[in-house]
Amino acid sequence: MLYKKEKKIFINGTVSAVMNNVAVNVSKYQKTLHGFAVIDRQTVRVMGTENSMDSATDVPQYCLDTKTDVTQIHWCTLGYINCLVVTCSEGLIVYDCDQQFKRIYSHNCEDKNMKEKYAKGIATFECTYLCVGNSNGSIRVFGPDEEGQVVFLDRKLLHGAPITDMSSHKHSLVSCDESGCTVLSQIDCGELMIIARTKVFGGLVNIQDIHAQQQK
């Protein structure tokens, strides 16, 4: 596969030197001119492919100020809401892409008793569930209620170290943490159920099948 350079896209700011500092909107459910979002410290800058220095029809850029350090961004659709999901030091923020990126939901993931300091790691299950990782190894599940509003559904402590990233496929979720541990879980009616876990000992990875042990 060969790639060719088309044009430059300019932003009114800088890009933070953090992992997953850019997100591209490839959702088949969203039809929007704004297809890129980048992390600029405590703000998220949203732009479209038509943004260029010599274009007379530039798409307006949006600057979403979170007032706290942003850790990750993700485009998704929850129910009938086209969203831009942002994780930061305070927790989770959801913006509605069809309402000029209006903030429609926020959830404070900080819990001093549980030593939760920031949210990181985002994964979605089709248009139904949104999973967000945390600094103490817990994963929260969100989803739309009967009225289509985003609500909190579940929280599971699956890791013993801060979550670094997550990915989903169908009903399965893979999450990893700073210790190198990876957990495979499945979601059922908004609740996460652990299936398998990897343990790292001196460079050796031991896959522990939780489901198989439960069957014994």
Side-chain angles (χ1 to χ4, degrees), residues 21-168:
N21 58 4
V22 62
V24 181
N25 186 2
V26 294
S27 173
K28 61 182 178 180
Y29 304 103
Q30 296 193 28
K31 296 181 179 179
T32 175
L33 295 176
H34 297 89
F36 295 89
V38 296
I39 298 175
D40 182 4
R41 290 162 294 186
Q42 295 187 352
T43 61
V44 176
R45 300 190 180 273
V46 184
M47 67 208 72
T49 55
E50 298 300 322
N51 288 116
S52 62
M53 182 174 289
D54 56 353
S55 176
T57 58
D58 283 354
V59 177
Q61 294 188 19
Y62 287 90
C63 180
L64 311 177
D65 191 356
T66 65
K67 308 296 184 183
T68 182
D69 292 335
V70 178
T71 56
Q72 200 167 343
I73 47 181
H74 181 74
W75 300 87
C76 68
T77 300
L78 290 176
Y80 298 100
I81 307 174
N82 295 321
C83 307
L84 177 62
V85 179
V86 177
T87 56
C88 56
S89 299
E90 291 186 355
L92 167 71
I93 304 175
V94 180
Y95 297 91
D96 190 335
C97 302
D98 298 329
Q99 297 188 38
Q100 297 182 337
F101 295 93
K102 175 184 177 182
R103 182 185 294 202
I104 59 172
Y105 182 78
S106 61
H107 182 89
N108 190 349
C109 294
E110 183 179 3
D111 188 338
K112 295 181 180 179
N113 296 328
M114 299 299 296
K115 298 181 179 180
E116 296 178 271
K117 298 180 180 179
Y118 62 85
K120 187 177 182 181
I122 309 171
T124 54
F125 295 88
E126 290 295 329
C127 300
T128 308
Y129 300 113
L130 166 68
C131 293
V132 177
N134 216 325
S135 62
N136 77 324
S138 64
I139 298 177
R140 284 176 166 83
V141 182
F142 304 86
D145 59 10
E146 296 180 354
E147 298 179 355
Q149 303 298 318
V150 181
V151 295
F152 169 77
L153 298 175
D154 187 31
R155 176 186 178 277
K156 287 290 192 305
L157 184 61
L158 302 183
H159 292 263
I163 303 290
T164 55
D165 206 355
M166 299 190 299
S167 182
S168 62

